[in-house]
Amino acid sequence: MPDRRPPPAPCRVLLWLAATGACGPRPATLLLDPVAPIHGVEPRPLPGARVLDAAGRALDPQPPVAFTSAEPATLEVRDGMMRAWRSGRVVLQARVTGSSVTANTEVDVRLVDRLELGCGPARECVLGVGETLALEARAFSGRVPLPEHPVEWTAPPDDVLQMHAPGRFTGRQPGRAVVVARAGPAVTQLPVRVVERPDRVEIRCPDGHDAPTEIRPDNRTACAGRRGETLALGAVFSRAGAPLPAEAATWSSSDTAVAVVDGAGRVELRGVGFAVVNLRAGALEQSVDIHVAAARPGASAARCRGQWRHSGTVQVVTGDRTRSVSIRCDAPAGLSCVQNMLHRNTFGTPDVQAANEACCCR
């Protein structure tokens, strides 16, 4: 294969002199093409150069141009190529061989020293079988982002995670894989866990806190408690009836003045009333009704069970006013005292809700 490298500088000078003659047009101006920022360590060609005579005409044939770097430790010039070794701004000096005509151009070397890749705050990505994961790697040189820098991707093993396009992966079967991204000398890894996604999620109330059937529309899941209590809701995931490990889930409450839920499904009952707690896990969503009755100072469920006051007039304090409210304390058949109060607190007027403690469960 023929050697395509340019001949040594002395040979190029002799060739040019032989072609132009000693009395031909002389170099007067040297123009250099701009150099795009360098982001990689691969050797690349030197910038294009044009030599003009005093009249502004390009010399043909063009005399050879020699290049040198002001900082070879940052940008090296060798064998007609330039290669970057570290980040920085370097002056590339050019000179028309055999003359005093020179030109300089500044080269911006920004080598990648950091590559960011992730799934938000999570340290690993969780992907369902058959789902697609789209990743974006961000390359930096110091604090300067390099958005157009090419990134190479790999993701062994293919039986767990298959790459079908740069940065695009599909989960094939449950297991773990590591996505590797490379940009120049920078390399970063991201663990990916492929799981079997559930097709059903069920929320369960803690023992003793299932709301009575009478206050559950359409037999929805409903939990009941008193202001000041904390209920630990349980989420059960399954696929085709088989239980699966717990999924990462997001919990929310429709009314934080009544019930506040944390990321683990613990519900703090803050106010009398009704709220809906919602759970979202991937494409699944489920909700549970929360009924909150007033606190019962000094009373216990055992002390209240089955003890009633008959209808009468009770005093209710609302804000800075005290007024009398008539209320019947008898409950629908089959309801305990506590269930009756929950029933009234859900469907009764604010006065009825406030009067419950004075009326029932004494």
Side-chain angles (χ1 to χ4, degrees):
M1 185 175 184
D3 189 352
R4 298 182 181 278
R5 291 179 299 175
C11 296
R12 294 198 299 272
V13 174
L14 293 175
L15 291 172
W16 175 73
L17 289 174
T20 61
C23 299
R26 308 303 299 173
T29 305
L30 176 59
L31 302 178
L32 300 179
D33 293 341
V35 181
I38 297 177
H39 300 317
V41 295
E42 302 81 8
R44 62 190 59 212
L46 290 163
R50 289 185 300 157
V51 181
L52 309 180
D53 62 15
R57 295 185 296 265
L59 296 185
D60 186 20
Q62 178 171 289
V65 177
F67 287 85
T68 57
S69 171
E71 296 182 38
T74 301
L75 184 68
E76 181 185 26
V77 176
R78 178 185 296 180
D79 298 331
M81 306 289 282
M82 55 183 177
R83 182 171 184 175
W85 295 108
R86 65 186 184 188
S87 297
R89 290 183 178 272
V90 181
V91 174
L92 192 63
Q93 303 163 335
R95 184 186 191 96
V96 178
T97 306
S99 76
S100 60
V101 178
T102 62
N104 297 335
T105 185
E106 189 176 61
V107 181
D108 187 8
V109 181
R110 298 179 184 175
L111 298 184
V112 178
D113 54 23
R114 180 165 55 93
L115 195 60
E116 290 187 356
L117 177 67
C119 293
R123 292 189 175 183
E124 72 171 1
C125 294
V126 179
L127 183 67
V129 174
E131 295 178 354
T132 299
L133 175 66
L135 294 176
E136 180 180 357
R138 298 194 301 163
F140 291 86
S141 176
R143 295 184 179 182
V144 179
L146 306 175
E148 298 182 0
H149 196 286
V151 177
E152 298 179 4
W153 300 85
T154 56
D158 289 344
D159 58 339
V160 174
L161 192 66
Q162 183 179 27
M163 183 174 71
H164 54 83
R168 302 294 186 269
F169 304 90
T170 299
R172 299 188 64 184
Q173 67 179 21
R176 294 181 182 273
V178 177
V179 172
V180 180
R182 301 176 184 272
V187 180
T188 188
Q189 299 180 346
L190 178 67
V192 178
R193 180 163 54 96
V194 180
V195 300
E196 192 77 60
R197 291 289 195 195
D199 57 12
R200 176 180 172 80
V201 59
E202 178 185 358
I203 302 177
R204 296 179 179 176
C205 303
D207 291 343
H209 288 277
D210 289 302
T213 306
E214 288 78 4
I215 62 173
R216 284 189 283 170
D218 301 325
N219 205 30
R220 282 170 50 86
T221 302
C223 306
R226 291 184 172 274
R227 185 175 57 198
E229 293 181 332
T230 297
L231 308 184
L233 302 180
V236 180
F237 296 89
S238 61
R239 185 175 186 85
L244 292 176
E247 285 276 299
T250 301
W251 296 82
S252 60
S253 172
S254 65
D255 190 345
T256 54
V258 174
V260 175
V261 61
D262 65 12
R266 290 185 295 268
V267 182
E268 180 185 349
L269 307 184
R270 291 188 173 181
V272 174
F274 169 81
V276 176
V277 168
N278 188 74
L279 175 148
R280 182 184 294 273
L284 296 179
E285 189 170 1
Q286 186 60 271
S287 62
V288 58
D289 297 340
I290 303 294
H291 300 271
V292 184
R296 200 170 53 241
S300 66
R303 178 179 171 186
C304 280
R305 191 170 296 122
Q307 300 181 18
W308 302 94
R309 281 184 54 180
H310 295 291
S311 60
T313 301
V314 295
Q315 297 294 316
V316 176
V317 178
T318 305
D320 57 354
R321 296 185 303 163
T322 301
R323 47 187 169 164
S324 297
V325 175
S326 295
I327 183 172
R328 289 184 60 84
C329 291
D330 54 329
L335 290 186
S336 68
C337 182
V338 174
Q339 291 172 332
N340 180 52
M341 294 181 64
L342 289 171
H343 179 81
R344 291 182 185 276
N345 281 349
T346 303
F347 299 106
T349 65
D351 287 344
V352 169
Q353 295 177 17
N356 272 327
E357 287 297 333
C359 186
C360 298
C361 294
R362 289 293 186 182

